[in-house]
Amino acid sequence: MMNFPSPYVNSTKKFSKNTQLGFCTTKRSLQRETTVSFYIFSCFNFQVIKKRKRKGKIGNLERMESESEVSLCSQSSGISEFSDDDVSLMELGSGNYGCSHYKRRCNIRAPCCNEIFDCRHCHNEAKNSLDINLLERHDLPRQEVVKVICSLCDTEQDVQQYCINCGVCMGKYFCAKCKFFDDDTSKNQFHCDECGICRTGGKENFFHCKKCECCYSKVMENKHHCLDRPLHHDCPVCFEYMFDTTKGITILRCGHTMHYKCVKEMEKHCRYSCPICSKSIGDMTRHWEKLDQVVASTPMPETYQNKMVWILCNDCGANSLVQFHIVGHKCQSCKSYNTRQIQGDPTASCESSVTEIVR
């Protein structure tokens, strides 16, 4: 249980001293009047919050956040024997409202279509479904949301963390820039000013790469391969936009990004190369060693034993002249089997190639 900030403690003591209603001094009477006391004290707290708002003393987000610990379960002298199960303004209704994407105690009014949704993802799923006319499909611009509806009292109001009517906290995590609410603070949400959106995982565990224009884990700070905005595109497998996705993302050795689940789905179908640049997605040394054994145990027919082909390595980009084999062609530079067969001699000039064709 959390203590009241000093203004509320003083107000509570004064209230208990003046009224004496529901706050009896003896332990026996306190137990008998618990229900009435809790209700009266709850109403009193709501009135205090409303009154202080009218006076302009809680007019900004910083003050609201500093007073977020004002609960209905105080350890002040009048109600010090209340149990830990008492509901506070911060916890009232927490976890009971929201959608499959977020747990929150408010809905949003979409400024684009003036309809009410649980969150922007719910809006995007509904407005981009196959049932919607292609010309009418659209996404919700999160920064343009100006109205929210409290899930407990259905009061529509400007975007803020606490309801102006019932005083309930509509989201334990609240970002005024993204107009974002979430009751599940175990995600360790934080706002990145460079990205312009909120991310999860804890700010202390991530850094913003100015060249890639996105946040990466600090483990990769000096190890990742920088590309031009690698997250600002669709996943090459499922075609979902990557920059603000809520799904797990993995960064391949080549620097390209895609959903972690999509990578695992590719591996199930024996696909181990990047869908964008065709480079290997990981260390394939053991796989190449197994292919060496397969090639050695699979002799080619006599007709193909002297056939030579040119190959291009997808991993290192080198050209090699190797013996043709039905299993695969090994790069002479990096020993990779991630290669493709190319026609003709890549070192020959265009003129000689044309001459060869004419002959």
Side-chain angles (χ1 to χ4, degrees), residues 66-118:
S66 66
E67 295 181 5
S68 63
E69 294 183 1
V70 178
S71 66
L72 302 179
C73 310
S74 172
Q75 290 184 347
S76 61
S77 59
I79 53 172
S80 59
E81 298 183 26
F82 274 31
S83 67
D84 292 337
D85 295 330
D86 293 336
V87 182
S88 67
L89 288 175
M90 182 67 74
E91 300 293 339
L92 185 62
S94 177
N96 298 328
Y97 299 91
C99 58
S100 60
H101 307 103
Y102 304 111
K103 293 297 180 183
R104 51 169 64 172
R105 284 161 282 180
C106 67
N107 299 325
I108 59 174
R109 182 176 290 279
C112 46
C113 52
N114 200 34
E115 297 181 24
I116 298 175
F117 295 90
D118 288 326

Side-chain angles (χ1 to χ4, degrees), residues 153-293:
C153 66
D154 295 328
T155 301
E156 186 168 352
Q157 57 203 282
D158 294 336
V159 176
Q160 53 195 317
Q161 188 174 14
Y162 293 85
C163 177
I164 60 174
N165 182 44
C166 64
V168 72
C169 176
M170 293 184 284
K172 294 180 182 178
Y173 175 82
F174 170 69
C175 177
K177 296 179 180 179
C178 296
K179 317 298 174 60
F180 177 59
F181 301 80
D182 197 353
D183 273 334
D184 185 7
T185 55
S186 63
K187 301 175 185 177
N188 295 324
Q189 301 94 328
F190 67 95
H191 181 83
C192 177
D193 290 326
E194 288 83 0
C195 289
I197 61 175
C198 289
R199 298 198 177 278
T200 60
K203 190 173 184 178
E204 67 280 1
N205 299 321
F206 289 84
F207 76 99
H208 184 86
C209 179
K210 294 184 178 180
K211 184 175 181 179
C212 297
E213 296 187 20
C214 56
C215 289
Y216 287 143
S217 171
K218 285 189 175 180
V219 178
M220 305 180 60
E221 189 165 1
N222 299 317
K223 300 178 180 178
H224 76 285
H225 180 63
C226 286
L227 294 177
D228 184 23
R229 308 179 71 189
L231 282 178
H232 296 259
H233 63 81
D234 297 337
C235 174
V237 175
C238 67
F239 302 107
E240 179 184 343
Y241 189 57
M242 299 283 292
F243 185 69
D244 57 359
T245 181
T246 58
K247 301 177 183 177
I249 295 176
T250 185
I251 304 171
L252 307 180
R253 298 176 66 184
C254 56
H256 293 119
T257 57
M258 57 190 301
H259 289 129
Y260 179 76
K261 288 185 177 180
C262 294
V263 173
K264 292 301 179 183
E265 191 67 25
M266 285 175 53
E267 292 177 353
K268 291 180 181 179
H269 294 82
C270 300
R271 296 300 301 257
Y272 301 101
S273 60
C274 173
I276 299 176
C277 65
S278 298
K279 294 183 181 295
S280 299
I281 62 176
D283 185 4
M284 304 292 291
T285 304
R286 292 185 179 181
H287 296 274
W288 304 154
E289 291 175 354
K290 290 181 180 180
L291 282 177
D292 284 337
Q293 298 175 4

